[in-house]
Amino acid sequence: MKLRSYLLLANTISIAFIIILLLVFFQYMLVTREQLIWLGIATVGAGIVSALLFYLLVRPLEASVRRVSEGAARIAAGDLEARVENTGLTEFKLLADQFNTMGTNLEQSFRQVKTAEAAQRELVANMAHDLRTPLASMQSYAEALEDGVIQDEATYRRYVTTIRSETVRLSELIQDLFELSTLDAGARSREESQPAVVEDVLLELHPRFSLQLEAKELQLRVRLPDRSLRVNMLARHLQRVLQNLIENAVRYSPQEGIIVIAAEELEGELIRISVIDEGAGIAEAERERIFERFYRTDRSRSRQGGGAGIGLSIAKLLVEQYGGRIGVEQAEGQGSRFWFTVQEVKMVQ
Ligand code: ADP
């Protein structure tokens, strides 16, 4: 039943009720015949006027309801941009506002789902690509060895070495992926956190880079405060963050470049550790994106032997798990300054 018919029916029922009452009064001689006629005419007249008023006043109400229902129908049909004009009676203005807020939220959630889906697809495509590249290279070298086309010892050794280094790359990639998934699942939160000593972590890391540093004739300079620096991070996590930053600094440094690792005190017992290189630096537009997983700048994508683009996202996840921040800025002169913050743990005297 329509709203208008409903109100008219209510009006007719109340008039009928008054007329029945008048007839009852007349029956028991409470009113005279003449009074009954006048009261009857007055009641019917008032009924007609109120029906007319109902009819007219209900129109803006109907229009408001129609606007909201049309908006809902458009949203139901998939048009998430549908909004309702908020005019008319106060209650309907409120309803329209709430409807529009719901539409905006719905649209935002839908967009987020779409973005997440696209990111997921990109992630799978990148993973497939990064796993396939070393596999394809190993396959072709192994086939060449199998065919027996290689005659000289040097080429044979080179092929075997390449296969070996590709297996290392593959297993590192799988390890990174594993680490990323366990970090996502928040596996650390249950572990007991023991403060790490920065200089110990650096000493442990140094041998891993010595060959690469030598090969590129790079200088590594470490600037730490005089006291022993303990920070609120598990040693293996600090090691992982520093390893990823130093690995990149070595990879993107020019021949004979200088890499500086420095720690400085900020306010509130916060320590900022920086890894500075003299490489080509990172364009401002890319400084946020390089911390996304699998993101590589075009320059490094075309470069041979680059990583898979996971290193910085692992570092970011780790640093943020301890409440720190990570970022990159242009180093003085040329190059990049990657930094992260971590809370210092002061020894109780
Ligand atoms: P990758 O394993 O490719 O190095 P990362 O997540 O560690 O992945 O780094 C993402 C991208 O950030 C790199 O591919 C590179 O383009 C850029 N990048 C990282 N570190 C540096 C650096 N020190 N100098 C220049 N570019 C860098």
Side-chain angles (χ1 to χ4, degrees), residues 67 83-89 92-97 100:
R67 275 200 299 275
R83 296 290 179 271
V84 175
E85 200 188 334
N86 71 341
T87 51
L89 299 169
F92 276 97
K93 275 188 186 163
L94 197 68
L95 181 65
D97 280 343
N100 291 342

Side-chain angles (χ1 to χ4, degrees), residues 138-341:
M138 272 153 59
Q139 191 181 358
S140 58
Y141 281 105
E143 277 169 8
L145 290 176
E146 207 173 44
D147 291 348
V149 286
I150 298 140
Q151 303 297 335
D152 63 304
E153 172 87 15
T155 315
Y156 180 85
R157 281 194 170 281
R158 191 160 56 81
Y159 275 32
V160 173
T161 311
T162 310
I163 292 177
R164 230 188 77 75
S165 66
E166 291 292 21
T167 55
V168 171
R169 200 171 136 195
L170 201 59
S171 78
E172 277 174 2
L173 184 61
I174 291 167
Q175 179 59 34
D176 277 355
L177 287 172
F178 177 70
E179 184 121 7
L180 208 59
S181 66
T182 51
L183 284 178
D184 274 351
R188 189 196 68 85
S189 53
R190 282 175 295 278
E191 275 182 60
E192 221 8 72
S193 158
Q194 284 282 330
V197 182
V198 178
E199 53 270 34
D200 290 353
V201 168
L202 284 173
L203 278 174
E204 211 168 303
L205 270 177
H206 187 260
R208 295 195 199 167
F209 293 105
S210 49
L211 277 181
Q212 290 155 282
L213 291 170
E214 255 171 52
K216 276 181 117 172
E217 296 174 70
L218 301 173
Q219 278 185 51
L220 185 67
R221 294 184 188 161
V222 179
R223 293 190 195 134
L224 295 180
D226 287 341
R227 62 177 190 283
S228 167
L229 199 57
R230 286 168 188 275
V231 293
N232 175 33
M233 217 180 197
L234 280 181
R236 64 187 176 87
H237 285 157
L238 179 65
Q239 195 170 6
R240 189 67 211 242
V241 174
L242 280 168
Q243 179 183 317
N244 291 2
L245 297 185
I246 300 171
E247 218 164 59
N248 281 343
V250 171
R251 185 178 293 148
Y252 299 105
S253 276
Q255 197 75 18
E256 295 179 30
I258 300 171
I259 295 173
V260 179
I261 300 171
E264 62 192 299
E265 226 172 314
L266 304 179
E267 276 174 16
E269 306 199 334
L270 205 61
I271 297 291
R272 181 162 83 154
I273 301 180
S274 309
V275 178
I276 308 153
D277 65 58
E278 295 184 329
I282 296 152
E284 194 155 359
E286 290 187 303
R287 287 187 199 154
E288 284 280 320
R289 297 214 62 196
I290 53 168
F291 292 96
E292 290 170 18
R293 60 190 63 174
F294 287 110
Y295 186 81
R296 281 179 284 181
T297 59
D298 278 348
R299 216 179 313 135
S300 74
R301 269 196 179 276
S302 52
R303 178 190 287 253
Q304 278 293 306
I310 323 180
L312 289 178
S313 55
I314 291 180
K316 183 176 159 76
L317 270 172
L318 281 171
V319 168
E320 287 179 352
Q321 274 195 11
Y322 289 89
R325 287 173 55 228
I326 189 166
V328 61
E329 54 199 45
Q330 169 96 32
E332 277 167 41
Q334 90 163 37
S336 336
R337 176 195 191 103
F338 278 86
W339 57 265
F340 65 94
T341 58

Side-chain angles (χ1 to χ4, degrees), residues 52-86:
L52 210 67
L53 282 176
F54 269 152
Y55 186 80
L56 292 175
L57 293 179
V58 104
R59 290 175 75 146
L61 213 64
E62 275 186 334
S64 303
V65 173
R66 201 178 320 115
R67 275 200 299 275
V68 176
S69 90
E70 278 170 6
R74 277 176 62 193
I75 286 199
D79 176 11
L80 297 184
E81 283 175 14
R83 296 290 179 271
V84 175
E85 200 188 334
N86 71 341

Side-chain angles (χ1 to χ4, degrees), residues 8-19:
L8 287 178
L9 181 69
N11 190 43
T12 315
I13 291 172
S14 45
I15 292 168
F17 186 67
I18 296 173
I19 299 234

